[in-house]
Amino acid sequence: MNRGRTAPPRSRRLVTALVLALAAAGIPAAALGGQAACRTSGPGNGVTVEVCITSPESEVTVSGAVPVQVTVDVSDGANVEQIRAFLGGQAIIIDQVAPYRFVLPTDRYPDGSNELGVSADVDTSGSFTSARARVSLTFDNGNAGDPGPSVTFEEPSVPPTGEPVVLAAVGDGAGSQTAAPAVLSLIESWDPDAFLYLGDVYATGTHAEFASWYGPPGKNFARLHDITAPTPGNHEYLSNDGEPYFEYWGVEPFYAFDAGDWRVISLDANKDFHGHEVGSAQYEWLRDELTTTRRACTLAFWHQPRFTVGKYTPGADWMQPIWQLLAEHGVDVTLHGHDHGYQRWRPIGPSGALDADGIRQFISGTGGHPTYAFRRTDARMAFGLEHTRGALRFELGATGADWSWRRTDGTVADSGSFACSPVPDEEPPSSPADLTATASGPRSVLLDWTASTDDVGVTGYRIYRDGEQIDEVPTWPTAATDAGLESETTYAYRVRALDAAGNLSRSSDRVSVTTPTDDAPPSIPGGLRVSVADRFHAELAWNEATDDIGVVGYDIARNGILLGTGAASSFADETVVPGETYLYTVRARDTAGHTSAFGAPLEVSIPAALFADGFESGGLATWTSTTGGVVVDGGGSRGTRAVRFDVNGAARGYAYRDLSAPEPDLVTEATFRLLDHGSNAVDLLALRAASGGATGATLFVTQAGYLALTEQANGSQTVSRRLVDDGNAHVLRVRARVDGTVKKLVTRLDGVKVGALSGKKALGPSAIGRIRIGDGTIGRAYDMIVDEVAAWRG
């Protein structure tokens, strides 16, 4: 992650271990063994207001997160607008909703004596603020002075490049209002990879408000803590220049991180702190970020929007230099809170005018706080909603995004998609410097140089030998090998840098090198070792050989026949057969083509499977029972034959095999090619006890084509984000452990673990005794080829 300043090393955790010790329902002070600290006052018209701190007691020593409970009683039943809490006379929190409970994070303050006071604002024949109820507390957390920051921010862990990223965003929700939980439930229903909190923790962003309203672990917005990337709102800066915000998150004022194929940038839009003008710390950091960390798609977010028709019309005009810089570098989207409504703006260019290649601005200050009405109209705004609550949902792809804004009841109020629009690049990279050429053998030369720079980003380098281009290499490492040369020959080299727009730099300096002579063969590779990864894979490794000039590769032989070659001192044999025994040996080759003798041979036996499908025999005799399956030629993945289930919906298509004995730890693998699954889900692989019953799991494809799981013991279903596309072969491997209290499943699709379908699952009481392929449900129409079905012990 690229941050705007350097933070001291700290462990990742919440600001403090905030655990609400009170019961879910109110517990009176007497039940806790103490007396409430109460204070009665009134406006002088006969009405009395009694404020009581029912917990904690006065004159006690406290540490960590202390739950506070307050009651307010007004004699004429008038409305209590809010309570205010003070620590040593300094306001720390406002609570507007009864029952009044909040958290006092004592470890955010120096040790010693402190007075906690609470007053109430009451609407009784006019506004009246009561006298404060008070308790004396001694803080004891080992803090001789200001405790300082206690965490280090870590950006959300999102899928790698090439996979879609689900991102949620909303602001202006963390407070004592009752509307925020519905927004949180909506966001959690999407199972997002990342959540952008667009700022404002009410009312003044104090330590107590972060601990209470953003939430202790598992409460309020902290339910999304581990996937959250924050940005500071204006309310955060109302307390000690934002200190509680920075200590709660351990985050920098501005920072950036990767979200799949996207770059996400958080900025600070608050005046008078980190600057927004050209030359300021934030502006110069952002310019460097946009120049050196280039992505095809970029999203930026901060609290106060640049443009708005809401309460804060016409918007944060001080952010214009930042807006212009973002637009000039092709940033695609900005997200904001601050105005308590939803607004979507048409693409806007650097100057603020509509521009088809400009930035799309979204405002979603709808996280739960009271909403605002629009104050004017603007032709640049495409859509807006007043007086509503909900959140933004983005699905970020490699070249664009799908988005929607949804109300708390899940209905979609606004949606669409767009493609990212990169900024044209006409500036060539700088020339590669410090080029060196070293003969790494009689037939090869190693080139090395210093990286070039570019206003957008260098994408590769072109290598020239004696004036002719011979290669194009990626940006890292800044090195290349020219092989296949003649010994005792002089060659001249140059290098040029290339960017994404096709701009070429000027050539590097010209360097020459003469290749040497080579007559000696390399040493014999030793230390051959083999591990059997599974029934079709054997992993070989050995000690590297040596040579007076250089080893360029190895030859691997099996049973006296050359199996393969490679440059590394390892090799994967993916052609082994279960139950067979093989003899492996290895020799080395140098740059001149000399070979060593073969090393000492190693014998390896491949374990036999508990069960194999037997399709190559032309029938289904190895299966206990089959319905609707036909062995076909030409459909196999390793051999020539496979089973095909072509079911029209009026019948079933499946086969199952009962193992000779139940297995508490079983690995099962099969290759599927789903030719057509119509409009219904289709079971792929089921694991059961030999007698059936509430044991095992079923892997299936949903109507939409995603891999999913049914847990046999309770019938619950989980849908992953892994697509099983029609027509292509996919390898499904499942390891099921049903051993006493251990109930665990590991699911892999095409060699990659599927996290949503792995872990502790309701697999039932019995060991696995039956394997089933296909679908035994009448009414499902599908066409599927299955091959390479096997099982072995885990």
Side-chain angles (χ1 to χ4, degrees):
M1 182 178 67
N2 183 11
R3 294 192 172 98
R5 65 180 185 184
T6 302
R10 294 161 263 170
S11 64
R12 174 163 175 81
R13 59 184 186 275
L14 286 178
V15 171
T16 183
L18 304 172
V19 180
L20 288 172
L22 299 174
I27 300 176
L32 298 174
Q35 295 296 319
C38 299
R39 184 75 177 274
T40 302
S41 59
N45 58 359
V47 177
T48 60
V49 179
E50 183 185 51
V51 179
C52 295
I53 302 175
T54 62
S55 177
E57 302 176 45
S58 190
E59 305 296 338
V60 297
T61 298
V62 293
S63 62
V66 176
V68 179
Q69 189 168 263
V70 176
T71 62
V72 180
D73 182 45
V74 184
S75 62
D76 68 348
N79 178 54
V80 180
E81 296 174 337
Q82 59 192 15
I83 67 166
R84 300 174 185 267
F86 303 83
L87 190 64
Q90 181 71 36
I92 60 169
I93 197 166
I94 292 174
D95 191 350
Q96 297 175 317
V97 179
Y100 303 111
R101 297 174 181 168
F102 60 90
V103 174
L104 175 59
T106 68
D107 56 352
R108 294 294 88 215
Y109 302 93
D111 287 347
S113 298
N114 287 278
E115 181 183 79
L116 173 66
V118 180
S119 64
D121 295 335
V122 181
D123 183 11
T124 174
S125 300
S127 181
F128 169 71
T129 299
S130 74
R132 297 178 188 174
R134 305 172 189 269
V135 293
S136 295
L137 305 173
T138 300
F139 293 179
D140 184 12
N141 294 286
N143 296 333
D146 185 346
S150 61
V151 297
T152 296
F153 174 71
E154 295 180 9
E155 66 269 18
S157 177
V158 297
T161 299
E163 296 188 25
V165 173
V166 176
L167 180 147
V170 79
D172 305 273
S176 60
Q177 301 293 321
T178 58
V183 179
L184 279 169
S185 295
L186 171 71
I187 293 172
E188 288 176 321
S189 71
W190 303 338
D191 189 21
D193 299 297
F195 170 56
L196 307 185
Y197 187 69
L198 304 178
D200 272 3
V201 173
Y202 293 93
T204 58
T206 65
H207 288 302
E209 286 169 334
F210 268 98
S212 303
W213 305 149
Y214 204 91
K219 302 289 185 180
N220 303 337
F221 278 88
R223 282 151 44 186
L224 303 171
H225 184 278
D226 289 345
I227 62 168
T228 299
T231 197
N234 56 298
H235 282 258
E236 279 83 325
Y237 275 98
L238 297 178
S239 288
N240 199 20
D241 291 345
E243 177 190 357
Y245 166 85
F246 293 110
E247 290 193 6
Y248 182 87
W249 288 109
V251 75
E252 307 304 325
F254 35 90
Y255 61 93
F257 63 94
D258 288 332
D261 295 282
W262 283 62
R263 190 68 169 168
V264 178
I265 302 171
S266 174
L267 299 173
D268 188 342
N270 293 279
K271 289 183 178 180
D272 306 324
F273 290 98
H274 303 288
H276 315 93
E277 66 281 357
V278 177
S280 67
Q282 181 169 224
Y283 184 95
E284 294 305 317
W285 172 87
L286 178 61
R287 178 159 58 185
D288 181 68
E289 160 68 26
L290 295 171
T291 300
T292 60
T293 313
R294 178 67 175 167
R295 296 289 187 278
C297 299
T298 304
L299 180 153
F301 68 107
W302 64 88
H303 184 60
Q304 297 93 324
R306 174 63 187 90
F307 309 99
T308 179
V309 297
K311 178 179 179 180
Y312 301 105
T313 296
D317 53 5
W318 62 88
M319 290 292 288
Q320 177 55 30
I322 295 286
W323 180 273
Q324 182 173 339
L325 182 63
L326 294 169
E328 289 174 348
H329 280 79
V331 170
D332 301 282
V333 183
T334 65
L335 307 182
H336 315 276
H338 197 51
D339 253 326
H340 297 185
Y342 169 65
Q343 301 176 38
R344 172 172 58 87
W345 289 64
R346 294 183 173 89
I348 297 176
S351 67
L354 290 175
D355 184 339
D357 294 325
I359 301 173
R360 295 162 175 82
Q361 177 191 259
F362 292 80
I363 302 172
S364 184
T366 53
H369 216 66
T371 56
Y372 301 154
F374 294 159
R375 301 292 178 87
R376 67 184 180 102
T377 60
D378 192 313
R380 295 172 298 176
M381 188 178 79
F383 184 81
L385 288 172
E386 305 170 287
H387 304 304
T388 188
R389 294 183 177 89
L392 271 169
R393 183 186 189 276
F394 279 80
E395 187 163 327
L396 307 178
T399 59
D402 297 327
W403 57 268
S404 60
W405 189 89
R406 307 189 185 196
R407 299 181 180 89
T408 53
D409 63 2
T411 58
V412 176
D414 189 29
S415 64
S417 61
F418 60 85
C420 299
S421 52
V423 176
D425 176 20
E426 299 176 355
E427 185 72 20
S430 65
S431 175
D434 306 320
L435 176 64
T436 61
T438 304
S440 53
R443 298 180 182 274
S444 64
V445 169
L446 175 64
L447 303 172
D448 187 88
W449 59 92
T450 300
S452 297
T453 59
D454 186 66
D455 60 332
V456 175
V458 176
T459 59
Y461 296 91
R462 291 182 178 175
I463 314 298
Y464 299 83
R465 184 213 305 141
D466 297 335
E468 298 291 330
Q469 181 181 336
I470 60 170
D471 201 1
E472 183 172 316
V473 297
T475 57
W476 188 92
T478 52
T481 298
D482 184 17
L485 303 175
E486 296 295 329
S487 61
E488 300 182 88
T489 305
T490 300
Y491 299 95
Y493 295 91
R494 292 181 185 270
V495 178
R496 299 178 72 182
L498 178 73
D499 67 17
N503 300 311
L504 274 172
S505 74
R506 298 175 64 88
S507 291
S508 68
D509 291 338
R510 178 177 177 272
V511 296
S512 298
V513 63
T514 300
T515 54
T517 302
D518 178 22
D519 295 321
S523 65
I524 299 173
L528 179 62
R529 50 204 179 272
V530 180
S531 63
V532 179
D534 59 46
R535 65 193 185 100
F536 288 128
H537 299 81
E539 303 288 344
L540 286 72
W542 54 88
N543 300 332
E544 292 185 353
T546 58
D547 187 70
D548 58 339
I549 301 297
V551 174
V552 295
Y554 299 90
D555 299 328
I556 299 91
R558 186 180 73 185
N559 296 341
I561 300 173
L562 184 65
L563 178 64
T565 62
S569 57
S570 61
F571 183 82
D573 184 0
E574 299 182 353
T575 62
V576 299
V577 176
E580 294 293 325
T581 297
Y582 301 98
L583 196 66
Y584 292 99
T585 184
V586 179
R587 70 182 178 187
R589 288 181 286 106
D590 67 12
T591 57
H594 301 129
T595 60
S596 72
F598 277 103
L602 180 65
E603 185 176 85
V604 178
S605 296
I606 309 300
L610 291 173
F611 165 69
D613 54 43
F615 297 150
E616 293 305 314
S617 67
L620 298 167
T622 59
W623 294 85
T624 304
S625 178
T626 64
T627 299
V630 178
V631 174
V632 295
D633 291 328
S637 58
R638 286 182 179 271
T640 60
R641 292 170 177 161
V643 66
R644 183 170 184 174
F645 299 106
D646 190 357
V647 182
N648 61 11
R652 297 183 175 91
Y654 67 91
Y656 71 80
R657 166 63 183 254
D658 288 330
L659 302 177
S660 59
E663 294 292 338
D665 189 355
L666 184 71
V667 179
T668 308
E669 182 177 282
T671 301
F672 297 88
R673 187 149 58 96
L674 194 58
L675 303 178
D676 183 13
H677 71 286
S679 59
N680 51 253
V682 177
D683 291 352
L684 300 177
L685 176 66
L687 306 175
R688 297 285 189 274
S691 60
T695 287
T698 302
L699 279 300
F700 67 96
V701 175
T702 67
Q703 291 177 327
Y706 292 94
L707 186 64
L709 168 71
T710 298
E711 298 170 44
Q712 188 68 12
N714 59 18
S716 66
Q717 293 187 338
T718 304
V719 179
S720 75
R721 295 189 187 133
R722 297 296 303 279
L723 192 64
V724 182
D725 48 332
D726 288 356
N728 291 323
H730 295 278
V731 178
L732 181 63
R733 180 185 292 181
V734 180
R735 181 177 182 179
R737 295 184 64 191
V738 187
D739 186 5
T741 60
V742 177
K743 317 288 183 182
K744 188 174 182 180
L745 201 71
V746 178
T747 303
R748 295 183 182 274
L749 184 65
D750 299 327
V752 178
K753 183 178 178 180
V754 184
L757 309 185
S758 300
K760 293 182 179 179
K761 302 294 181 182
L763 301 182
S766 304
I768 303 301
R770 175 177 293 177
I771 301 167
R772 191 190 75 203
I773 56 174
D775 196 316
T777 307
I778 291 181
R780 292 182 176 179
Y782 66 95
D783 189 358
M784 178 171 64
I785 293 176
V786 188
D787 193 16
E788 298 303 329
V789 186
W792 61 96
R793 292 187 179 93

